[in-house]
Amino acid sequence: AQTVTQSQPEMSVQEAETVTLSCTYDTSESDYYLFWYKQPPSRQMILVIRQEAYKQQNATENRFSVNFQKAAKSFSLKISDSQLGDAAMYFCAYNSYNFNKFYFGSGTKLNVKP
Amino acid sequence: GAGVSQTPSNKVTEKGKYVELRCDPISGHTALYWYRQSLGQGPEFLIYFQGTGAADDSGLPNDRFFAVRPEGSVSTLKIQRTERGDSAVYLCASSSSGTPYNEQFFGPGTRLTVL
């Protein structure tokens, strides 16, 4: 089974600074999809960014970008110009190309200091 | 509504009781998912529906858990003979199709507490 590991239970960043959240995964598949979801205290998960494994180019969405290292099975999230509204739990997730079943990491709690 | 809704938002029950959790997906979304999120953990897959049928129920922990989606829209997660270990937030998500790359839109969850 696929596993997703987020080794940073909690991180803090100063407003307007940059922070990187780490994620590694284990799989024997060659095609798959990776996601970062944000979960604020309201509990409603929101998609931040996604990456197709066959694409070498790293995905970007405004202030959010990823560093996808397929050989290392690493998928980190970089948040630039951090804002107070970025404070939340962030989950890394893996979805198989052939099976529609998300595997989530245990999450990283991001604190943003004013 | 515009998003995925779940009712109730909170449910407290006693050990051994039966509970039903409801999910209303986004209108027109054919794929629907249930997850369980224990305290301090990421969501754990339970079951995936494509239309009315369960395409993958491999995440259901045991036969006390059952889910239905009879008309391909609303889904109900049913838990029989609840145990204290069933206490968690149950999340529902929907997507426009079953394509793995599609964004899953999540509801706010139902917090289940078994006393």
Side-chain angles (χ1 to χ4, degrees):
Chain A
Q2 284 72 21
T3 57
V4 178
T5 302
Q6 293 179 249
S7 58
Q8 306 152 317
E10 189 166 358
M11 293 193 70
S12 295
V13 63
Q14 206 71 34
E15 194 175 7
E17 297 294 310
T18 295
V19 65
T20 299
L21 308 183
S22 300
C23 172
T24 58
Y25 56 93
D26 185 25
T27 184
S28 59
E29 299 175 326
S30 58
D31 290 324
Y32 48 86
Y33 306 96
L34 296 165
F35 303 77
W36 278 98
Y37 273 86
K38 170 185 178 181
Q39 188 178 42
S42 66
R43 296 201 305 241
Q44 198 142 5
M45 303 271 279
I46 303 164
L47 178 65
V48 174
I49 198 166
R50 54 186 159 178
Q51 174 85 37
E52 296 160 274
Y54 68 86
K55 288 188 176 179
Q56 293 187 348
Q57 185 173 4
N58 289 324
T60 61
E61 288 285 345
N62 301 314
R63 298 183 295 107
F64 299 88
S65 61
V66 299
N67 183 2
F68 173 49
Q69 302 288 331
K70 191 173 184 179
K73 297 180 181 175
S74 170
F75 183 62
S76 60
L77 173 69
K78 185 171 84 171
I79 306 174
S80 304
D81 185 26
S82 297
Q83 300 175 0
L84 295 177
D86 294 334
M89 285 291 293
Y90 285 81
F91 291 96
C92 178
Y94 172 106
N95 201 356
S96 170
Y97 181 80
N98 292 314
F99 301 96
N100 207 349
K101 176 165 39 180
F102 270 18
Y103 294 90
F104 284 88
S106 56
T108 296
K109 182 180 180 183
L110 179 66
N111 304 305
V112 181
K113 300 177 180 179
Chain B
V4 178
S5 62
Q6 293 186 245
T7 53
S9 56
N10 288 284
K11 175 71 176 179
V12 180
T13 191
E14 293 180 345
K15 180 175 177 294
K17 298 289 189 182
Y18 167 83
V19 297
E20 290 189 351
L21 312 179
R22 176 187 168 107
C23 172
D24 281 82
I26 292 172
S27 178
H29 279 192
T30 60
L32 185 144
Y33 313 80
W34 282 99
Y35 296 86
R36 179 169 68 176
Q37 187 174 20
S38 300
L39 191 63
Q41 298 297 316
E44 176 188 10
F45 171 83
L46 295 177
I47 187 169
Y48 154 52
F49 286 92
Q50 183 59 250
T52 60
D56 185 344
D57 64 358
S58 62
L60 294 177
N62 52 60
D63 60 6
R64 296 187 298 105
F65 288 75
F66 189 70
V68 296
R69 196 186 184 199
E71 298 178 356
S73 56
V74 171
S75 177
T76 304
L77 178 65
K78 307 180 181 192
I79 310 174
Q80 299 177 324
R81 304 183 305 280
T82 53
E83 300 177 356
R84 293 193 179 88
D86 298 335
S87 296
V89 174
Y90 289 82
L91 297 171
C92 176
S94 70
S95 67
S96 58
S97 76
T99 304
Y101 189 63
N102 276 14
E103 178 178 359
Q104 293 188 19
F105 294 85
F106 284 79
T110 294
R111 182 180 298 280
L112 175 66
T113 302
V114 182
L115 301 177

